[in-house]
Amino acid sequence: MQEVIRGLFRGAKRGVMTSKQGRNFYKGNRTGSMGRHTKHGGYVIDVNKVRTFVVPSLAGCELKPYVSHSSDKFKVDPPTATDFSTQNSFTQE
């Protein structure tokens, strides 16, 4: 009798759903779409949806990869739009 009760509860797990579990449920992994599916089974990438990361030039940076907590504090002005446009190496068509 205990095996029957255990078998009933075995299928009723309500734990945390991950993107690797479930047969009829697609949770995804929060990456979003970068394009759209075509009616012929292909995929078209939309350039406006592709993530691009703007990385500043670190040529004159005095910081090391690991900074001590006892180091002096300093203030840096926030970047402006012209800073981003001059460092952008690709052009939009």
Side-chain angles (χ1 to χ4, degrees), residues 19-34:
S19 62
K20 304 281 185 182
Q21 297 171 331
R23 297 180 204 265
N24 298 325
F25 180 75
Y26 178 73
K27 182 180 177 183
N29 52 9
R30 301 183 334 170
T31 59
S33 68
M34 291 180 28

Side-chain angles (χ1 to χ4, degrees), residues 65-81:
Y66 298 100
V67 179
S68 172
H69 289 286
S70 62
S71 63
D72 296 333
K73 299 205 184 257
F74 61 96
K75 181 172 171 46
V76 177
D77 294 330
T80 61

Side-chain angles (χ1 to χ4, degrees), residues 1-22:
M1 183 69 177
Q2 287 182 345
E3 285 84 352
V4 173
I5 295 173
R6 187 180 305 151
L8 289 174
F9 286 110
R10 186 171 291 172
K13 293 180 181 175
R14 299 288 187 258
V16 176
M17 175 75 77
T18 66
S19 62
K20 304 281 185 182
Q21 297 171 331

Side-chain angles (χ1 to χ4, degrees), residues 51-91:
R51 288 181 185 88
T52 55
F53 299 100
V54 178
V55 180
S57 174
L58 300 176
C61 184
E62 298 176 4
L63 294 178
K64 304 293 184 220
Y66 298 100
V67 179
S68 172
H69 289 286
S70 62
S71 63
D72 296 333
K73 299 205 184 257
F74 61 96
K75 181 172 171 46
V76 177
D77 294 330
T80 61
T82 56
D83 294 337
F84 286 116
S85 64
T86 57
Q87 293 177 1
N88 200 350
S89 62
F90 59 91
T91 58

